[in-house]
Amino acid sequence: NGDSRAQYTMGVMYRRGAGVEQDDREALLWFLAAAESGHMLGQYAAGLAFDQGRGIERDFDNALHSLRQAALNGHAAAPVQLGNVYFDKANPAADNAKAHFGWTIAKRRNAPGAGENLYMLARTINEEDKQRATAYLYQCAKATLRICFPRKL
């Protein structure tokens, strides 16, 4: 009946094979149904599935879209995963400044792994990317998170 919590739960059941045959593609379909209704955990689960290629071929654009929506809805770990996707050199849109931005937002939410990722990135990020990351964060100090997210983050 369109209940996003039930849709998300069905996705979890198919992902784990709990009471149903394990099926990553079916899980993704349920996560997407929940995500379309604005369910934060559905958005995050769909983003992870797209990033990991679970139930579908790996899709960076859809991973970023779903993870961004989850982050905007308050999921603490979603910005960590956003940073991970932007740091992944297999992603044609890899961008250290956007990875830094995502991980900094996650660190502010006390998300596990964010601080370690920022420390690792600090050793390799160039000055131009540092300046862009600082600009993104400065914009956020003056605006809501929805407005300050870098375009296509």
Side-chain angles (χ1 to χ4, degrees):
N1 292 327
D3 183 319
S4 62
R5 290 177 299 172
Q7 292 166 334
Y8 171 73
T9 301
M10 289 296 297
V12 171
M13 291 174 68
Y14 276 101
R15 170 66 45 84
R16 294 181 181 166
V20 295
E21 187 175 329
Q22 197 280 334
D23 184 336
D24 285 334
R25 180 141 179 91
E26 188 68 22
L28 176 58
L29 294 173
W30 283 109
F31 290 145
L32 286 171
E36 288 174 11
S37 298
H39 192 274
M40 177 183 66
L41 296 176
Q43 293 163 338
Y44 183 69
L48 288 178
F50 283 122
D51 180 38
Q52 297 167 356
R54 292 188 73 171
I56 195 166
E57 201 169 305
R58 197 167 189 204
D59 183 335
F60 292 110
D61 290 337
N62 279 317
L64 291 169
H65 172 76
S66 295
L67 292 167
R68 180 176 188 266
Q69 292 306 310
L72 290 170
N73 281 324
H75 195 286
V80 174
Q81 196 60 33
L82 272 169
N84 293 348
V85 173
Y86 272 115
F87 190 72
D88 187 338
K89 300 311 177 217
N91 178 2
D95 185 326
N96 284 342
K98 290 180 180 178
H100 187 282
F101 176 83
W103 290 336
T104 300
I105 296 297
K107 185 176 179 188
R108 291 176 181 172
R109 293 180 181 180
N110 296 316
E116 294 85 353
N117 289 352
L118 283 168
Y119 176 77
M120 178 255 324
L121 181 61
R123 295 180 292 160
T124 60
I125 193 170
N126 65 39
E127 194 57 38
E128 179 185 336
D129 286 342
K130 279 184 198 177
Q131 289 174 359
R132 283 191 310 119
T134 300
Y136 294 149
L137 293 166
Y138 179 74
Q139 289 171 341
C140 279
K142 297 179 167 186
T144 65
L145 189 59
R146 188 165 298 279
I147 294 170
C148 79
F149 258 99
R151 296 288 180 235
K152 294 189 179 183
L153 178 66

